[in-house]
Amino acid sequence: MRMPPRIINGRFHSPFFIFIKDGSNYSDCDLLEKLGLSNYLPIEGSQQVGTCLYITEDKEWTHVMDDWHYTLWHMKHLHDKLIDMSLFHDIFTCSVGDIDYSYDFNYYVDGAVVRRYIVQDSHCDRSKSVVVENLGHPMHGEELAFSCKEELDVVISLAESLGVVIKHDLSTIRCYGVPDLNPPRSKKTFSVDKKLGWFRWMKKS
């Protein structure tokens, strides 16, 4: 079941963001096709979907935001699509854990990942988080970002250091999803599996 979209402290509530510079040159339909997501269709109201994503933009960057099933984050093809798009657009991606303190960010430029940083927390204990990958030269905003206490603040600070403007407004955010052909007959409440954060990181390795 799709969680109602929310804005918290001016940010869309999502665990995974893709920021594409000058991505507004594409229609939403064209952008989805370039990301290998042409099966995603516009979703309105309470329409039932199996998975969904959200799109908005500022003056320079297009923002693509994941659902809380980490659907985009788990897509194996997405990395290759982002590499291809980065031949024409700078791309910054970042994610945070659901109940753990894991986070990561990637910066794609000229068809390559020029910066990747992954922190893994397998114990839901920030003091036991470890850096499992540290690729490329530090970005100019990292010193300030790493001074933030919250993981989401770290990665959003880095996005903002690149010029991404994050002042999200639900009225300008579009939802796209894969229609659920067998929606549940009765409403079900969404609950977070306490093992999801651990499972998520195990999937990545």
Side-chain angles (χ1 to χ4, degrees):
M1 182 177 180
R2 179 162 59 104
M3 293 179 66
R6 291 193 294 163
I7 303 290
I8 300 177
N9 296 325
R11 303 167 182 164
F12 187 81
H13 190 48
S14 170
F16 176 46
F17 296 85
I18 302 170
F19 300 107
I20 304 169
K21 192 171 185 179
D22 299 323
S24 59
N25 293 333
Y26 304 107
S27 67
D28 287 356
C29 182
D30 289 341
L31 178 61
L32 291 171
E33 184 174 356
K34 285 190 171 294
L35 293 173
L37 303 170
S38 56
N39 58 324
Y40 276 65
L41 303 175
I43 300 297
E44 298 181 1
S46 60
Q47 182 179 351
Q48 295 292 335
V49 291
T51 60
C52 62
L53 60 81
Y54 302 85
I55 299 176
T56 190
E57 58 279 307
D58 59 50
K59 289 184 179 180
E60 281 194 289
W61 296 76
T62 294
H63 309 193
V64 181
M65 301 165 289
D66 206 354
D67 60 28
W68 276 93
H69 298 290
Y70 292 84
T71 302
L72 296 179
W73 190 90
H74 281 303
M75 288 183 175
K76 294 181 179 180
H77 80 274
L78 190 59
H79 171 73
D80 291 338
K81 294 294 185 181
L82 294 176
I83 287 287
D84 291 343
M85 286 196 71
S86 72
L87 289 168
F88 308 98
H89 309 275
D90 289 1
I91 298 174
F92 181 78
T93 71
C94 57
S95 75
V96 295
D98 49 2
I99 62 169
D100 57 47
Y101 300 101
S102 305
Y103 68 93
D104 62 57
F105 58 85
N106 299 271
Y107 190 29
Y108 299 76
V109 180
D110 294 332
V113 178
V114 298
R115 183 67 172 128
R116 171 176 289 148
Y117 193 85
I118 302 175
V119 174
Q120 179 174 324
D121 168 29
S122 300
H123 306 280
C124 294
D125 183 341
R126 183 178 281 129
S127 67
K128 296 181 180 179
S129 299
V130 294
V131 177
V132 296
E133 189 166 356
N134 185 357
L135 170 71
H137 297 292
M139 299 167 61
H140 73 271
E142 286 188 24
E143 183 176 357
L144 176 62
F146 288 146
S147 69
C148 298
K149 293 182 179 180
E150 298 296 326
E151 289 69 26
L152 182 59
D153 291 337
V154 171
V155 297
I156 292 300
S157 175
L158 281 170
E160 292 176 333
S161 75
L162 293 171
V164 178
V165 177
I166 300 177
K167 295 181 180 178
H168 290 146
D169 182 342
L170 288 178
S171 68
T172 63
I173 293 174
R174 289 88 65 194
C175 180
Y176 294 84
V178 179
D180 189 347
L181 300 179
N182 297 291
R185 294 183 179 180
S186 59
K187 292 184 178 180
K188 296 181 180 179
T189 58
F190 180 88
S191 62
V192 176
D193 184 340
K194 292 186 177 181
K195 294 182 180 179
L196 183 58
W198 168 248
F199 172 77
R200 171 178 172 245
W201 285 101
M202 289 295 290
K203 282 280 287 187
K204 187 165 190 176
S205 61

